[in-house]
Amino acid sequence: MNFDVRYANHPEDSKRYDTQELRRHYHIRRVFTADEINLTYSHQDRIIAGGVMPVKEPLALGTCKELAAPYFLARREMGVINVGGPGVITIDGQAHTLNGKDGIYIGMGAKELAFRSLDKGNPAKFYLNSCPAHRTCPTVLIPMDKARYNHLGSQETVNERILRQYIHPAVCESCQLSMGMTALLPGNVWNTMPCHTHERRMEVYFYFEIAPDQAVFHMMGQGQETRHIVMRNEEAVISPSWSIHSGVGTSNYTFIWGMCGENQDFDDMDGIPTASLL
């Protein structure tokens, strides 16, 4: 297991970062590698984000020194969305099949997790978010058609999109993790604009379905000190609670968002009018 640790920092520090420093602190380039588990641990609310891509054989998720726990979910919960071919997650002996864009919530206390693909020629790509938990909630399989569906935006503002909430109080119970997926419709490029912050929780974005010759410019920073990070296909970015998290692509794309922190009120946002951005 590859385990990268990122430390929290102050927004005043980020004002002085050049491109490479921004990417070193917030950008997650390697999410999926064949037959490996790649995880990034952020001290922003201690979220873990990463990918599991089993090809030749199943991959078991164990613990590591940084967690100081007997097993990975001893004090954590987890959400997983499969962005590849069909696969299976076995949790304490019980197998759960996830087709493309199906998700699952896994409650604190699950001891043994194993990931495998059903087709080596079209392997599963399990994208996961995990955060600390203080109680156990039931594990729930969430097929894409069972996620809460929202049709947002408009073609006039080139942000028409479909937002699906997988780990959300209306879908399943969790301790503090929220997770979902947003797909921009063809001809649309902006996400989360007008933008916002939410001091009560941080967020991680995972961008995918970006063509090889296209890119997404992920916007971050305080409303009066915005920056951008260029994102390629199947890369992720950490967004602290004080930062906006918006983006514009050179074509349409899809992203998975995961949040953890003080609450699970999706509409608890501190909106920033577009006209006031700098």
Side-chain angles (χ1 to χ4, degrees):
M1 179 169 64
N2 303 307
F3 201 84
D4 183 25
V5 177
R6 307 287 181 91
Y7 290 95
N9 50 7
H10 195 279
E12 292 293 327
D13 298 331
S14 297
K15 293 180 182 181
R16 301 172 177 84
Y17 291 167
D18 62 18
T19 298
Q20 294 307 312
E21 288 174 310
L22 282 174
R23 294 178 72 84
R24 185 169 68 251
H25 286 287
Y26 302 113
H27 178 247
I28 303 172
R29 182 184 65 82
R30 184 175 63 173
V31 175
F32 292 117
T33 306
D35 292 311
E36 290 189 4
I37 299 174
N38 296 321
L39 300 178
T40 297
Y41 178 106
S42 172
H43 281 260
Q44 307 282 353
D45 282 310
R46 300 190 181 274
I47 196 169
I48 294 175
V52 183
M53 185 180 173
V55 180
K56 296 179 182 178
E57 57 188 7
L59 295 174
L61 181 62
T63 189
C64 58
K65 177 181 180 296
E66 290 82 359
L67 294 181
Y71 49 95
F72 196 94
L73 294 183
R75 296 187 294 271
R76 289 181 159 270
E77 59 186 349
M78 179 184 291
V80 183
I81 297 177
N82 179 16
V83 300
V88 174
I89 302 178
T90 301
I91 305 167
D92 290 338
Q94 183 174 358
H96 303 267
T97 299
L98 277 70
N99 294 309
K101 297 183 178 176
D102 288 347
I104 191 170
Y105 169 79
I106 307 171
M108 181 184 75
K111 293 183 177 181
E112 296 181 356
L113 279 70
F115 302 77
R116 65 183 174 93
S117 296
L118 294 180
D119 180 0
K120 294 181 180 180
N122 182 26
K125 294 180 177 180
F126 299 105
Y127 175 72
L128 67 86
N129 284 171
S130 174
C131 64
H134 59 267
R135 63 187 175 92
T136 298
C137 301
T139 292
V140 179
L141 181 66
I142 311 165
M144 183 174 71
D145 62 1
K146 298 299 183 182
R148 190 179 189 212
Y149 179 95
N150 301 269
H151 190 159
L152 305 174
S154 69
Q155 187 64 59
E156 288 73 19
T157 50
V158 288
N159 67 350
E160 189 175 5
R161 60 204 187 273
I162 304 300
L163 183 150
R164 289 181 171 88
Q165 294 163 315
Y166 287 71
I167 301 175
H168 180 277
V171 178
C172 73
E173 184 183 12
S174 68
C175 184
Q176 65 159 324
L177 181 65
S178 299
M179 199 171 179
M181 179 173 64
T182 301
L184 277 290
L185 299 184
N188 293 267
V189 294
W190 277 103
N191 78 70
T192 324
M193 185 62 74
C195 65
H196 60 264
T197 61
H198 27 68
E199 285 287 346
R200 290 144 296 278
R201 58 187 185 272
M202 61 81 64
E203 197 155 1
V204 175
Y205 273 17
F206 167 71
Y207 289 97
F208 67 111
E209 295 185 338
I210 303 172
D213 58 344
Q214 305 297 316
V216 173
F217 290 76
H218 177 82
M219 306 299 175
M220 65 160 297
Q222 294 173 298
Q224 305 301 303
E225 287 283 349
T226 58
R227 304 288 188 269
H228 76 263
I229 296 177
V230 177
M231 307 295 298
R232 307 294 178 183
N233 190 45
E234 296 183 350
E235 295 181 345
V237 62
I238 299 164
S239 177
S241 59
W242 47 262
S243 176
I244 67 169
H245 36 283
S246 179
V248 59
T250 54
S251 183
N252 63 312
Y253 52 92
T254 305
F255 65 98
I256 293 172
W257 43 268
M259 296 183 284
C260 63
E262 290 287 339
N263 65 28
Q264 295 175 309
D265 181 359
F266 187 81
D267 294 323
D268 178 19
M269 305 172 186
D270 300 313
I272 301 175
T274 303
S276 72
L277 291 171
L278 292 176

